Amino acid sequence: MVKFTVIGGSASSDLAKKIARKLKAPYIKTEKKTFPDGESKITINQIPKKSIVLVVQSTYPPVDTNLLELISIVSKIQKFSSKVYAIIPYMGYARQDREFLGGEIVTIGVVGRLLKASGVKKILTVDMHSKLALKELNISSENVSAMGELVKYFQKMGLKDPLVVSPDLGGKDRAQAFANLLKTDFIALKKHRDRKTGKVNILSGKVEVKNRDLILVDDMISTGGSIVKATQFLKKQKCKRVFVACTHALLVNEAAKKIKSAGVSQIVSTNTIPGDSAKVDVSKVISDALK
Ligand code: R5P
């Protein structure tokens, strides 16, 4: 009897195949057709055998389309399995985890309710933006970290005495974990984001970065605003090279270009979101958590 069956959604099919191989689980492919009006039609060509079914689908842009695809697959599959787990390597809406300004909706809670209603019994995600977001999902859920895999990549680069930097205080624990594994030190900058315009500013004063290679560690890059501002700030303080390690590289609105222009030597991210910078594979951390 098979323990798991893996189904890959269109946003994460390569990663889903890798997870299936690591779990020695059958893999079921889905097909997606997009109609001229933007609606998508999802087809699952095979019925899973009795097993825990893992539906793997990140919800990066187009966020709502990818989310609806995940919900649609789960709604169909829960007819054949009483245990359907959603493996959401990148969880969109995780930053909407509280009411920052009056009247805002905590959308990650809405996502949780939708997933639960569709038949999801458990969620597994990678480097979720905040503990609060995980709580707001209000379903049995597990968060695994890709920091160890990212560190392995940087160990191979052999940087001499790099300093790990978090672009904000919220990412301090993540940067500390990264620095501990890399056996080096870390600092966290103080960042301010205007909740209305989204504009970012670094509020920190002088930091000891002169002549050191730096690794900016973050959970995600969206517009690149945080990384650009942090890099400009650090370059002014005469650091050497700046590298970026992040789990989820959305890189919207030409963020990669802007980050390079600010002086970043390399962006290293994971395959929770496919792309040029996705050099690190998270299939092992995901499958290990499921075994
Ligand atoms: C913020 O708290 C996050 O950890 C990221 O730093 C942020 O979401 C990145 O967004 P952007 O690239 O648009 O600055």
Side-chain angles (χ1 to χ4, degrees):
M1 204 195 101
V2 292
K3 184 174 177 194
F4 295 110
T5 301
V6 179
I7 300 184
S10 66
S12 299
S13 53
D14 288 344
L15 177 54
K17 281 178 206 156
K18 288 193 171 96
I19 294 169
R21 274 202 292 277
K22 293 218 160 63
L23 292 172
K24 297 189 175 42
Y27 177 75
I28 294 180
K29 199 171 111 184
T30 56
E31 272 163 41
K32 180 173 137 181
K33 184 176 161 189
T34 306
F35 290 110
D37 60 4
E39 284 182 6
S40 34
K41 184 177 184 69
I42 320 294
T43 311
I44 306 163
N45 289 324
Q46 220 181 309
I47 303 236
K49 294 214 174 94
K50 200 171 180 296
S51 56
I52 298 172
V53 181
L54 310 173
V55 182
V56 187
Q57 170 87 331
S58 276
T59 54
Y60 56 80
V63 182
D64 296 344
T65 305
N66 285 335
L67 177 63
L68 189 62
E69 180 180 338
L70 169 64
I71 287 170
S72 304
I73 297 170
V74 173
S75 306
K76 173 94 177 176
I77 292 304
Q78 53 88 31
K79 295 185 180 134
F80 310 105
S81 169
S82 57
K83 280 191 177 166
V84 184
Y85 296 176
I87 312 300
I88 313 175
Y90 168 69
M91 176 80 75
Y93 287 112
R95 288 181 297 174
Q96 296 190 42
D97 59 359
R98 67 200 81 184
E99 195 177 327
F100 291 101
L101 300 175
E104 286 179 356
I105 291 163
V106 181
T107 314
I108 193 65
V110 179
V111 170
R113 287 196 287 284
L114 287 169
L115 290 168
K116 200 176 211 169
S118 70
V120 169
K121 290 291 178 312
K122 183 178 170 173
I123 291 174
L124 192 146
T125 186
V126 184
D127 287 325
M128 180 90 156
H129 176 66
S130 68
K131 283 190 187 135
L132 183 59
L134 209 61
K135 190 171 157 259
E136 287 294 339
L137 277 174
N138 204 19
I139 314 185
S140 156
S141 47
E142 188 174 348
N143 178 48
V144 297
S145 179
M147 287 299 132
E149 299 302 305
L150 282 161
V151 166
K152 282 184 203 158
Y153 186 94
F154 277 87
Q155 273 165 340
K156 284 189 196 132
M157 282 170 67
L159 303 178
K160 236 181 109 197
D161 191 29
L163 174 70
V164 173
V165 183
S166 170
D168 53 47
L169 295 176
K172 188 170 160 250
D173 290 351
R174 196 177 297 116
Q176 183 168 21
F178 191 100
N180 287 347
L181 291 168
L182 198 59
K183 299 195 171 37
T184 190
D185 42 346
F186 81 98
I187 56 168
L189 303 179
K190 204 167 169 201
K191 175 180 101 177
H192 173 259
R193 187 186 290 275
D194 184 306
R195 288 282 156 208
K196 283 210 170 107
T197 64
K199 284 228 158 38
V200 165
N201 271 311
I202 302 295
L203 306 177
S204 299
K206 192 174 158 37
V207 285
E208 294 300 323
V209 295
K210 204 169 169 201
N211 294 328
R212 280 185 85 173
D213 278 337
L214 308 180
I215 308 172
L216 275 168
V217 174
D218 213 343
D219 58 329
M220 61 184 289
I221 304 174
S222 180
T223 64
S226 305
I227 294 296
V228 167
K229 287 285 177 179
T231 305
Q232 289 167 343
F233 169 81
L234 295 162
K235 288 270 174 184
K236 263 193 203 146
Q237 310 229 5
K238 306 271 184 280
C239 67
K240 257 160 89 182
R241 294 172 296 176
V242 177
F243 297 87
V244 174
C246 78
T247 307
H248 317 290
L250 290 167
L251 297 171
V252 299
N253 299 342
E254 308 229 294
K257 242 192 200 165
K258 292 175 194 161
I259 289 171
K260 270 225 156 124
S261 305
V264 167
S265 303
Q266 199 186 341
I267 304 170
V268 180
S269 66
T270 79
N271 57 350
T272 60
I273 299 174
D276 292 343
S277 60
K279 306 267 197 289
V280 172
D281 177 23
V282 293
S283 62
K284 186 176 182 308
V285 284
I286 292 177
S287 46
D288 283 354
L290 290 159
K291 275 177 191 164

